Amino acid sequence: MSIPVVDLAQFNQGSDSDRTAFVYELGRAYEDVGFVAVKNHGIPEELIDELYNYVQTFFGMPGDVKKQYEKTELAGQRGYTSFGKEHAKGSDAPDLKEFFQYGQTVEDDDPVAVEYPANVTVNEVPQLTPTLYRAYRHFEKSGRALLKAIAIYLGLDEEYFESYVVNGNSILRAIHFPPITQEPKSAIRAEQHEDINLITLLVGASAEGLQILSKQGDWVGVTALPGQIVVNVGDMLQRLTNNRLKSTTHRVVNPPREKWGSSRFSIPFFLHPKSSMSLACLDNCIDADHPKAYPDATAGEYLDERLREIGLKK
């Protein structure tokens, strides 16, 4: 399945008519599919290559070394989470992955800083933390631009999301799906799920395997071309828009048998707002045909609920 492709430069540097066209294309894609591929996204290719290099070095270290960077008291929100700890909502089967998470660094006097634990530095790969930081800032910038376009599409002020996502609780997650060494119990590496956050920006997974569930109920493979990133709607945005924008179910499946011996790496950026943001359904997304579908909640309350559902928080 080819997902819609949009050009972020059309919004960031284009004319008024270019911006209007971009907003419409993005909004329609998020209503119909929930996923888009974005070109001219502003994340340098050499930075992506560096990040994958250091991430692979980290995951290639012995298990007991990686375990030093697992902080169970942080519910997987910073540092390393070992293999098989996380599962999809509604599934008891653990996903076949390990991951490392890097979060927000507040660099001004915003009092929200007290809500965020410190990031975890890996002594054996000193380049990892500064590279994660640079990538985080690039992802954040691109995500904020996309949210401005989404705000316009929804009939909101272009800056609607800005105060919520600047110093927001976003997460950069590096995922490793190890080689398959024996007959797997399931064909699924990461069970079907929807993302928790506002939008997810996914850059260059190292192997195929991502599939989305179409409106017809079919699983279809999604790959971005070189130079593109895949960006999908998360449950927070679906909730805020009273289901107008679609948080699409997706999963990661095992590769063909001849590729079982290879690892798969993936680096999504989960763009979260500050925990205080209200996710109450927008008034202009509620009408007689679309009654309010969700109770009011803050982003922090909803995140907490979902972390418990997927097994990262007790």
Side-chain angles (χ1 to χ4, degrees), residues 155-208:
L156 305 170
D157 185 275
E158 181 177 327
E159 303 294 319
Y160 178 85
F161 291 100
E162 273 289 281
S163 63
Y164 301 122
V165 296
V166 171
N167 289 333
N169 192 23
S170 298
I171 292 289
L172 185 57
R173 172 185 278 195
I175 306 172
H176 174 222
F177 299 93
I180 298 168
T181 56
Q182 58 190 40
E183 193 71 37
K185 294 178 182 177
S186 166
I188 311 299
R189 272 177 156 169
E191 191 52 77
Q192 66 180 62
H193 65 283
E194 299 80 41
D195 293 341
I196 300 171
N197 40 288
L198 290 171
I199 57 174
T200 301
L201 295 80
L202 174 66
V203 64
S206 66
E208 69 274 12

Side-chain angles (χ1 to χ4, degrees), residues 138-148 199 201 269 271:
H138 276 92
F139 274 113
E140 199 172 39
K141 183 178 180 181
S142 299
R144 284 165 60 187
L146 289 164
L147 284 174
K148 287 183 179 184
I199 57 174
L201 295 80
F269 179 79
L271 199 156

Side-chain angles (χ1 to χ4, degrees), residues 257-282:
R257 182 179 286 268
E258 63 269 18
K259 295 183 179 179
W260 278 10
S262 58
S263 288
R264 182 184 192 272
F265 298 92
S266 175
I267 305 179
F269 179 79
F270 301 115
L271 199 156
H272 283 264
K274 293 177 178 177
S275 62
S276 58
M277 180 184 178
S278 171
L279 299 179
C281 299
L282 295 166

Side-chain angles (χ1 to χ4, degrees), residues 15 26 36 55 59 75 102-104 111 114 116 126 150 158 168 176-177 181-182 205 228 239 269 278 284 292:
S15 64
L26 184 70
V36 295
V55 161
F59 286 121
Y102 181 91
Q104 183 66 262
V114 300
Y116 302 141
I150 290 168
E158 181 177 327
H176 174 222
F177 299 93
T181 56
Q182 58 190 40
Q228 297 178 352
R239 190 180 181 115
F269 179 79
S278 171
N284 64 351
K292 185 176 178 181

Side-chain angles (χ1 to χ4, degrees), residues 109-125:
D109 297 325
D110 193 327
V112 77
V114 300
E115 296 183 21
Y116 302 141
N119 279 301
V120 175
T121 298
V122 178
N123 297 326
E124 291 82 358
V125 193

Side-chain angles (χ1 to χ4, degrees), residues 33 68 73-74 96 98 104 125 143 151 166 173 185 199 219 224 231 241 288 300:
V33 183
Q68 297 175 53
E73 71 277 10
L74 300 181
L96 307 180
E98 56 182 346
Q104 183 66 262
V125 193
V166 171
R173 172 185 278 195
K185 294 178 182 177
I199 57 174
W219 287 106
V231 184
T241 63

Side-chain angles (χ1 to χ4, degrees), residues 245-260:
L245 302 188
K246 180 182 174 66
S247 178
T248 303
T249 303
H250 53 286
R251 67 184 185 181
V252 177
V253 296
N254 294 336
R257 182 179 286 268
E258 63 269 18
K259 295 183 179 179
W260 278 10

